[in-house]
Amino acid sequence: MLIVFIGPPGAGKGTQCRRLVDSLRIPHLSTGEMLRAVMEQDTALSRYVASYINAGKLAPDHLVMRIVSQQLKSPQCERGALFDGFPRTMVQAQMLDDFLAELGRPLDAVLELRVNDEALIERLLKRAKTDGRADDNDATIRERLRVFHEQTKPLVQYYASQGKLRSVDGMQAEDAVFSDIRGALKLP
Ligand code: ADP
């Protein structure tokens, strides 16, 4: 099963993805986590990636696609994968479709987690105090939300027109969100 999970920063994607992979038993491919792992090294590439992420910008499409395609071809993804935070631009969505067409493995569903901007800013500022992520500060949070609306939101229409979109209200309590996700994916 191949599933894409779309949602603005702070929508709770990470939490819901962890619950979903536990029940579906497929790997969780979070491009944010993969890029943070790259940034932990001290190389030219890690500094290049950090220059985007720490400014609230998206990492370059070709770089993200290279990381994702390597993972997807690995044996651990034979049964499928849950993409968290990818694709995030129309170019990435197109590259993913082309790559999956080559592999002969179409996407099964695209989940959209909807949360309004005010709640997102509040959640992200709270997370900034506990997690210490360098990209969780007021200016960067606003920039990430702006980038989400400009670059990622158009994917909702793109996947709706493919008949793959399932939208879930992310303003509810965690358990209620998860139960709606299960319903949207028709899981028992
Ligand atoms: P959040 O959901 O809070 O934005 P993520 O862990 O998904 O957190 O992503 C953190 C950062 O990593 C993003 O703000 C962006 O800079 C970068 N990133 C993650 N996924 C992608 C992607 N698919 N394309 C480009 N940049 C990405």
Side-chain angles (χ1 to χ4, degrees):
M1 197 172 205
L2 288 171
I3 303 173
V4 161
F5 207 142
I6 297 179
K13 281 191 313 284
T15 313
Q16 296 297 336
C17 279
R18 278 186 287 278
R19 296 182 69 161
L20 201 50
V21 292
D22 271 353
S23 73
L24 291 176
R25 308 209 164 277
I26 53 176
H28 176 200
L29 299 188
S30 158
T31 44
E33 273 171 25
M34 293 175 201
L35 291 166
R36 279 190 289 282
V38 170
M39 286 199 299
E40 270 169 26
Q41 302 146 15
D42 184 23
T43 59
L45 178 66
S46 65
R47 285 185 288 277
Y48 176 67
V49 169
S51 71
Y52 288 91
I53 294 189
N54 292 339
K57 309 278 182 210
L58 295 181
D61 291 327
H62 63 272
L63 175 75
V64 176
M65 188 63 212
R66 197 168 71 215
I67 299 177
V68 171
S69 57
Q70 276 165 359
Q71 294 275 337
L72 250 188
K73 280 190 275 188
S74 73
Q76 60 150 359
C77 290
E78 242 165 36
R79 290 190 52 239
L82 176 63
F83 298 107
D84 168 5
F86 175 85
R88 247 179 162 98
T89 64
M90 283 300 292
V91 172
Q92 289 179 14
Q94 198 63 63
M95 287 197 288
L96 179 64
D97 275 354
D98 292 348
F99 184 68
L100 292 178
E102 258 174 54
L103 298 180
R105 297 171 69 182
L107 274 182
D108 293 284
V110 176
L111 279 170
E112 180 206 12
L113 199 53
R114 306 179 72 114
V115 176
N116 69 43
D117 281 6
E118 273 162 49
L120 293 171
I121 293 175
E122 199 177 304
R123 289 184 192 182
L124 287 165
L125 288 173
K126 205 162 136 200
R127 182 169 87 185
K129 291 198 188 115
T130 55
D131 289 14
R133 248 173 66 175
D135 59 344
D136 279 344
N137 60 66
D138 196 58
T140 312
I141 287 168
R142 283 175 205 283
E143 176 62 8
R144 277 154 61 210
L145 279 178
R146 189 191 68 73
V147 169
F148 173 78
H149 286 291
E150 185 184 282
Q151 309 222 46
T152 311
K153 207 68 213 281
L155 302 190
V156 167
Q157 189 48 48
Y158 176 74
Y159 287 122
S161 66
Q162 292 186 359
K164 292 192 171 156
L165 189 75
R166 318 264 187 278
S167 295
V168 170
D169 176 8
M171 298 288 290
Q172 316 170 81
E174 203 180 299
D175 284 347
V177 173
F178 190 58
S179 136
D180 281 4
I181 288 175
R182 297 187 70 89
L185 293 177
K186 300 193 170 59
L187 300 175

